[in-house]
Amino acid sequence: MKFIPAVFTFMLTIALAIQVGAQREATNPVIFADVPDVSIVRAGNTYYMSSTTMHMSPGVPIMKSNDLVNWRLVSYAYDTLANMDALNLENGKSTYGRGSWASSIRYHKGTFYVSTFAQTTGKTYIYSTKNIGKEPWKRIAFEPSLHDHSLFFDDDGKVYMLYGAGKLTLVELRDDLSGIKPGGVNQVVIENASKPSEVEGRRGGLGAEGSQLYKVNGKYYLFNITWPPGGMRTVVIHRADKLTGPWEGKVGLQDLGVAQGGLIDRPDGSWYAYLFRDFGAVGRIPYLVPVKWENGWPILGVDGKVPGRLDLPASKGLIPGIVASDEFTRKKNEPSLPLVWQWNHNPDNRFWSLTARKGFLRLTTARVDTSFLMARNSLTQRTFGPASEGSTALDISNMKDGDIAGLGLLQKNFGLVAVRASGNSRSLVMINAGTGAPVEIESIPLNQTVVYLKASCDFLNKKDIATFSYSLDGKTWLPIGSPLKMAYTIPQFIGYRFALFNYATKTPGGSADFDYFRVKDISGTANLGAVGRN
């Protein structure tokens, strides 16, 4: 009876072929993590993307890809935006929800430019380099802060920024990009960019912003996001024969709330729109939408819808390009911190170390703080979907009375599992701020110097639930506290982040040693393609 094995072998071959074929296909979202306000440029066969991380330091992350799907962090536009109380988490001030906002990346005559703006400082910034990741960025800063601007190099050599919300203004820059050019173009070019998406009888909503400006085949194209009252986030597209107008506009896409972004072309001549979608607590996640050109307009989507699957190479996952584990061991000439890490606000570099104890991250308290959200030198990474977990091993030998150190999920409605030092005793605590106010849910006496901590996040279908656990031996894990209902809040304007922290509530000078941070995708076989239509 050789027939049955032959049939079995044939069916297995077919099944494997289908599986391999499916793996060759990209799915939306292309990045299931908080990478908002994306701007993308192509230089030859390589794509570069900038994004927003606001109060994080370093800031304006730059990512690189060869296929528009698989991205890796290669640089930041700046290490420190400015040295001031709000950015340093000093004197009770913070810049949660502010810092630097939507950036614009451009490639012009062999030089990369990334521009951004900050309400915190009231300035507009332009960073430039000829070799991303290998040469430092040069910085230009000027006033005022031009909201959601798009940097644009025209064919005649002139440089512009188009900015605003609802009413959009075009300004010409000086030749050296050092500021707005006196006597140059400075005029409102679109009085109400939201108009194409407005519904008769309904007023209000989000004024068109997030401008991204392009020139294709001699015409100018402008992408904006709007949010009509009673509707969803919407892509509005305008076009014109001259930068100063007149501009004509239309709705470009209205599906799933996928909006804000722009256009990118591939070497093979095909086009895509890159956009993002607000997806609950994980943050604002990037999507790609195919584009066809009809009658001089870019037509987004498939029959006006955002596809779940894309004719692009499959994702290889976000690890280690966007997030990564870290054993805190360093070889000679390696950077102190991989690019996946960002500090919550500006760090005080005197009080963290990877050399004080080889193979450990040491966080030393330098002042008395009132809460996790005001703790300086909290080291963060993105959480990611559909489900992810972060874990660490913590040595508490050098903590002082009143110190709190551990692993948190950073947002306004945060959650954390930590060790609290009280006199000569130590306890494990879980704090849940899911209601907006922190509540200590559970406290467990701790009688050893090393403890293992874990935070697990479930973002599938916007479930947005996190749980915390601990282990005394690194093998057997026990739950602690209560599930955290995560919520994306405007005061912070970021997706939840894993955070390693240590802060003093009584006396500075104590330290906590983190042996490693390990991040893991715990999504299993979740059908990411289905996420695109949720």
Side-chain angles (χ1 to χ4, degrees):
M1 295 290 290
K2 295 182 179 179
F3 176 72
I4 293 177
V7 171
F8 176 78
T9 301
F10 174 75
M11 295 302 292
L12 180 61
T13 301
I14 294 297
L16 288 173
I18 292 173
Q19 182 178 3
V20 170
Q23 290 173 345
R24 291 175 180 167
E25 193 175 38
T27 56
N28 269 320
V30 290
I31 300 176
F32 206 144
D34 192 41
V35 183
D37 304 332
V38 293
S39 180
I40 301 178
V41 68
R42 179 171 63 85
N45 294 322
T46 305
Y47 306 94
Y48 294 88
M49 175 168 67
S50 64
S51 179
T52 295
T53 48
M54 294 177 299
H55 51 274
M56 296 291 170
S57 177
V60 187
I62 313 297
M63 288 145 278
K64 181 178 180 180
S65 174
N66 295 320
D67 58 16
L68 282 177
V69 176
N70 293 284
W71 296 89
R72 62 184 178 89
L73 282 156
V74 292
S75 182
Y76 287 93
Y78 63 80
D79 287 328
T80 302
L81 181 66
N83 184 12
M84 56 192 296
D85 284 356
L87 286 164
N88 294 338
L89 277 178
E90 288 185 333
N91 296 318
K93 295 182 179 180
S94 74
T95 192
Y96 283 119
R98 297 187 300 277
S100 62
W101 279 11
S103 61
S104 176
I105 186 168
R106 296 291 180 260
Y107 183 65
H108 179 67
K109 293 185 177 180
T111 298
F112 292 94
Y113 297 86
V114 173
S115 60
T116 186
F117 68 102
Q119 292 181 336
T120 309
T121 63
K123 294 181 179 180
T124 298
Y125 300 85
I126 301 176
Y127 300 89
S128 63
T129 183
K130 291 185 178 295
N131 196 332
I132 291 178
K134 295 185 178 180
E135 289 184 1
W137 292 86
K138 299 177 182 177
R139 185 179 97 152
I140 294 172
F142 60 85
E143 295 179 345
S145 171
L146 302 182
H147 177 83
D148 275 18
H149 66 257
S150 181
L151 179 64
F152 184 75
F153 294 86
D154 209 348
D155 297 336
D156 60 4
K158 294 182 178 180
V159 189
Y160 300 89
M161 281 185 172
L162 193 152
Y163 71 97
K167 181 182 291 188
L168 303 182
T169 301
L170 180 73
V171 293
E172 186 178 349
L173 300 185
R174 298 176 185 267
D175 293 342
D176 62 1
L177 310 183
S178 61
I180 297 173
K181 182 178 181 179
V185 174
N186 189 337
Q187 68 182 78
V188 174
V189 291
I190 304 178
E191 282 288 344
N192 179 13
S194 306
K195 189 174 182 179
S197 67
E198 291 179 346
V199 178
E200 186 66 29
R202 295 181 180 177
R203 295 291 180 265
L206 175 70
E209 58 181 9
S211 293
Q212 296 207 30
L213 178 62
Y214 307 89
K215 192 173 188 179
V216 181
N217 295 328
K219 280 188 178 291
Y220 299 94
Y221 294 87
L222 176 65
F223 274 56
N224 290 102
I225 180 176
T226 69
W227 195 352
M232 67 176 70
R233 292 169 176 82
T234 300
V235 177
V236 168
I237 304 173
H238 285 81
R239 72 176 183 182
D241 293 320
K242 297 194 304 180
L243 268 178
T244 52
W247 291 83
E248 56 177 330
K250 60 184 289 187
V251 170
L253 182 69
Q254 200 168 55
D255 185 41
L256 299 176
V258 174
Q260 190 162 341
L263 287 170
I264 189 68
D265 66 328
R266 301 175 70 211
D268 64 4
S270 60
W271 289 78
Y272 280 84
Y274 55 86
L275 307 163
F276 75 72
R277 179 185 183 189
D278 288 75
F279 203 79
V282 76
R284 295 176 287 171
I285 57 180
Y287 278 64
L288 287 174
V289 176
V291 171
K292 294 182 178 179
W293 291 86
E294 294 181 6
N295 301 320
W297 286 98
I299 307 301
L300 278 58
V302 178
D303 297 325
K305 300 295 183 182
V306 176
R309 298 188 178 276
L310 301 162
D311 186 19
L312 290 169
S315 172
K316 298 175 183 177
L318 304 187
I319 304 171
I322 304 297
V323 295
S325 298
D326 194 342
E327 299 297 314
F328 298 127
T329 56
R330 298 291 180 266
K331 297 178 181 178
K332 189 176 181 180
N333 298 324
E334 280 188 334
S336 295
L337 290 173
L339 295 172
V340 295
W341 289 113
Q342 286 176 286
W343 299 98
N344 178 20
H345 290 66
N346 294 339
D348 186 333
N349 292 318
R350 298 172 298 170
F351 297 100
W352 69 271
S353 176
L354 289 168
T355 58
R357 183 180 177 186
K358 189 175 181 180
F360 288 78
L361 167 70
R362 174 166 290 179
L363 298 180
T364 302
T365 63
R367 66 187 194 192
V368 171
D369 281 309
T370 56
S371 71
F372 169 61
L373 294 180
M374 294 305 294
R376 198 168 181 185
N377 285 7
S378 292
L379 189 60
T380 80
Q381 277 199 44
R382 294 170 178 84
T383 59
F384 58 96
S388 56
E389 72 177 26
S391 61
T392 189
L394 173 62
D395 188 324
I396 62 174
S397 302
N398 297 314
M399 291 178 66
K400 284 191 172 184
D401 179 28
D403 288 359
I404 301 175
L407 172 63
L409 290 173
L410 176 63
Q411 235 283 359
K412 177 180 179 290
N413 296 358
F414 63 87
L416 61 85
V417 57
V419 175
R420 173 189 286 136
S422 299
N424 294 322
S425 65
R426 305 287 183 264
S427 57
L428 270 172
V429 296
M430 186 273 165
I431 296 175
N432 190 322
T435 61
V439 177
E440 183 176 310
I441 303 298
E442 187 172 1
S443 177
I444 301 170
L446 184 64
N447 298 310
Q448 58 192 61
T449 58
V450 175
V451 65
Y452 304 84
L453 310 174
K454 183 186 292 183
S456 305
C457 305
D458 186 350
F459 301 109
L460 186 61
N461 299 325
K462 299 185 182 179
K463 187 176 181 181
D464 293 349
I465 294 293
T467 56
F468 295 85
S469 53
Y470 72 97
S471 175
L472 301 179
D473 59 8
K475 298 176 183 178
T476 302
W477 291 88
L478 299 171
I480 185 171
S482 59
L484 169 70
K485 184 62 176 84
M486 296 181 286
Y488 187 94
T489 66
I490 295 301
Q492 290 213 6
F493 225 168
I494 60 170
Y496 275 76
R497 282 179 167 251
F498 297 113
L500 304 179
F501 66 93
N502 179 29
Y503 66 95
T505 63
K506 294 182 178 179
T507 306
S511 62
D513 290 344
F514 296 86
D515 192 2
Y516 59 78
F517 175 79
R518 294 173 185 162
V519 66
K520 186 177 180 181
D521 184 341
I522 56 172
S523 307
T525 56
N527 181 8
L528 297 189
V531 175
R533 298 308 313 167
N534 285 341

